[in-house]
Amino acid sequence: MGCVLATESPMNLRDVSEDPRFDFHDEQSSKIRAVLSVPIKSHRGEVVGVVVMINKRNGCDGSASVFTSMDEKVLSNHMDVLGMVLDNVQLYESSRQEAKRSQALIEMAKVLSEQHRSFEVLLSKMAATIMPFTHAQYCTIFIPSEQTSDVEDEVSFSRVIHLECEELGSTCQVYRRLQRDIRDIDPSYALRTLVAMETLNMSESSGESVRSMICCPVRNEQSEDVIAVCQLMNKISKDSDEMEAFNRYDERLLEDLAVYCGLALQYAQAVQITEERRASIEVTQEVLAYHITAAEQEIQALQEATIPSAESLSILDFHFSDSSLAEDLTSQATVRMFLDLNLVQDFNIDYKSLCQWVLTVRRGYRNSVPYHNWNHALSTAQSMFAMLMAADQLKTIFSRLEILALMIATLNHDLDHRGVSNSYIERSQQPLAQLYGHSSLENHHYNLCLFILNNTGSQILSGLSTEDHRAVLHMIKRAILATDLAVYMEYVKAQNAKIANLVAMEFFAQGDKEREEFKIKPIDIMNRENSTRLPYMQVEYIDDICYPLYKAVSRLFDSCSPLLNGCKKNRENWLQLAEKGEENSKNSRTLNLETHKDNKKDTEREE
């Protein structure tokens, strides 16, 4: 048979004793005289078996004879038919197995997609799913401890999920997790698989019983590390109660189970990491809420204070300067804005909550930042308040909800500003850039604003309906994100020399960091070497940003014309400083100011 299999050709031995390849090694072999062997081939010409005919007999007397060429031809023709039959049988069996495998995969995927109390329960259900398809008596999943060594000992596995098949009648099968000590489960084969990182399939015969086992490693699809071992034990024959060995089909099913177990374990690890991070965030928020919330005495003092009028605080004046107010008065001025805009009354805002919210927002700004601090937030809110109070048309154009959103946004639009721009945060790869990707600062400002609004005792929006609450948060977010440098080109409104110097101090500090850390030359406005050109840069900024904006607002609302007049006067002052500095230093660099030199003529020409 070996020769026929190797040559894929028929062999007709008329007298085996004369063939040196034939070995008479026992009494049975000595009875063999003539042999005819023919390969069995599939329709593709592949050898799928070998048939052997021994000792041809004559018809009547039974005497020995030899196989003829006709015998060989007849047998070959029969074997061609048999080859097709075997081929079809194998094809059918293969299709049946693939159908069962597909069904097993679908059921395991269904189990994986469901919600479970724990990943142990998930793995148990997946193991129970595959057992009927492999006819295994036991299915065990071994999960290594985090510090698994190469030494094959029992401490290598931290958890073991073990299921046993019980036969109840002819059709009913129950799969249960065994609640036993993991030391009762033999881990030796799983440890061998863990170390070898390859599938292990073996069977042992002892007398009439057969013990079969197959182990497969479970891998992390990214790192290729073995994170578990799946084991099937004792395959029960489907035709009898006898044990048999696991075949290649069983291996494939177990490997499929290993893939799903890997996904389940990775999902469980991801959930665990997510839960730990969620808990960490909650702790961080709790600490932040404690430290950012004003002391009860401070809240009570603001709540019981007699809030000065808007006139006495000068917050109706477009020439308002935050430096003229004491720190306590800045909080009172903020409360006054909400009172005079009737926001407290219209939206049923709890007064104590308003006081705590204002003080908490104030504490959310960093005092170490020269410009983008609480005073800047107050000035921005005051500008909005002054415009709303001066122009009755604005109160009709904006809805009450929009006015509430604008006042909240102006006070919160630079919360926890770090004194650097988004570009610096991205270059230095700070966590803010990794967290948000774009508009890092503005997203951070909004999220901190949302955190304070949700903080116990500072929930000034609790009186709103669900729909209004959602709408006002959307407005606040849009307003704060609109302050991004990339969106509006610049975010500084130069109003007087003091503020400009603070802005320059902050910008130059960033420029120093960029020169030192990134070895790049900062842009002009952040380059300390251009500090003597500060007046020039302020004139350019007013011409490009401030003047067109204030001109448009003043055209719409006559009552806001002081903004445009202040902008013109501010520009004249900076221009005088620029020309004076140029004359004193005899600097050769000049600035082309003719385009905007006469704002009055420019306005008349456009009109």
Side-chain angles (χ1 to χ4, degrees), residues 407-423:
M407 291 304 299
I408 293 175
T410 51
L411 284 167
N412 288 264
H413 79 281
D414 273 329
L415 268 174
D416 194 43
H417 200 288
R418 282 82 189 289
V420 293
S421 67
N422 282 330
S423 61

Side-chain angles (χ1 to χ4, degrees), residues 470-484:
R470 188 185 302 111
V472 77
L473 290 182
H474 180 68
M475 296 174 192
I476 293 171
K477 183 175 184 179
R478 286 188 60 188
I480 293 178
L481 293 184
T483 64
D484 186 2

Side-chain angles (χ1 to χ4, degrees), residues 165-179:
C165 170
E166 292 182 345
E167 290 286 342
L168 301 179
S170 58
T171 58
C172 181
Q173 291 179 313
V174 177
Y175 302 92
R176 59 182 176 87
R177 270 179 75 191
L178 297 183
Q179 302 295 333

Side-chain angles (χ1 to χ4, degrees), residues 533 536 582 587-592:
R533 297 193 66 250
Y536 291 101
E582 185 179 65
N587 194 329
S588 60
R589 290 181 299 178
T590 60
L591 177 67
N592 184 8

Side-chain angles (χ1 to χ4, degrees), residues 30 102 143 156-157 167 199 210-211 216 233 245 260 302 313 330 336 371 382 435 456 490 502 548:
S30 63
S102 299
I143 301 175
S156 296
F157 297 108
E167 290 286 342
T199 301
V210 177
R211 185 177 182 224
C216 178
M233 187 76 73
Y260 281 90
L302 179 58
L313 292 169
T330 60
R336 172 52 61 190
Y371 178 70
Q382 184 274 331
L435 183 61
T456 303
E490 298 285 349
L502 293 177

Side-chain angles (χ1 to χ4, degrees), residues 156-306:
S156 296
F157 297 108
S158 59
R159 280 172 289 186
V160 174
I161 299 170
H162 186 72
L163 280 84
E164 179 180 3
C165 170
E166 292 182 345
E167 290 286 342
L168 301 179
S170 58
T171 58
C172 181
Q173 291 179 313
V174 177
Y175 302 92
R176 59 182 176 87
R177 270 179 75 191
L178 297 183
Q179 302 295 333
R180 298 189 298 185
D181 195 300
I182 63 174
R183 288 175 296 184
D184 296 337
I185 308 298
D186 180 15
S188 57
Y189 298 115
L191 284 169
R192 289 171 58 183
T193 304
L194 182 66
V195 175
M197 302 176 66
E198 294 179 353
T199 301
L200 176 65
N201 189 350
M202 59 183 298
S203 61
E204 299 174 349
S205 299
S206 57
E208 297 181 354
S209 63
V210 177
R211 185 177 182 224
S212 57
M213 184 279 312
I214 179 173
C215 268
C216 178
V218 178
R219 301 178 186 274
N220 183 307
E221 61 178 6
Q222 295 180 346
S223 64
E224 290 296 320
D225 295 334
V226 177
I227 57 178
V229 175
C230 292
Q231 175 180 288
L232 296 177
M233 187 76 73
N234 294 350
K235 181 177 182 179
I236 305 173
S237 174
K238 60 182 179 180
D239 299 323
S240 65
D241 292 335
E242 297 179 356
M243 300 293 179
E244 61 182 33
F246 291 102
N247 55 31
R248 177 55 189 155
Y249 168 72
D250 300 320
E251 284 186 30
R252 291 185 63 192
L253 273 179
L254 187 60
E255 289 168 354
D256 293 333
L257 172 64
V259 172
Y260 281 90
C261 284
L263 293 174
L265 287 170
Q266 292 176 68
Y267 172 75
Q269 292 172 354
V271 170
Q272 181 179 359
I273 293 173
T274 302
E275 289 298 312
E276 290 174 354
R277 289 178 178 174
R278 182 191 58 78
S280 176
I281 291 173
E282 288 183 357
V283 172
T284 303
Q285 289 180 337
E286 183 181 359
V287 174
L288 176 61
Y290 174 79
H291 287 284
I292 201 174
T293 303
E296 184 63 32
Q297 293 179 345
E298 190 178 5
I299 299 172
Q300 186 175 356
L302 179 58
Q303 183 182 1
E304 296 176 355
T306 301

Side-chain angles (χ1 to χ4, degrees), residues 9 67 77 118 206 293 301 394 406 464 489 547:
S9 300
F67 292 103
N77 289 337
S118 66
S206 57
T293 303
L394 281 177
L406 286 171
L464 274 62
M489 297 173 61
Y547 181 75

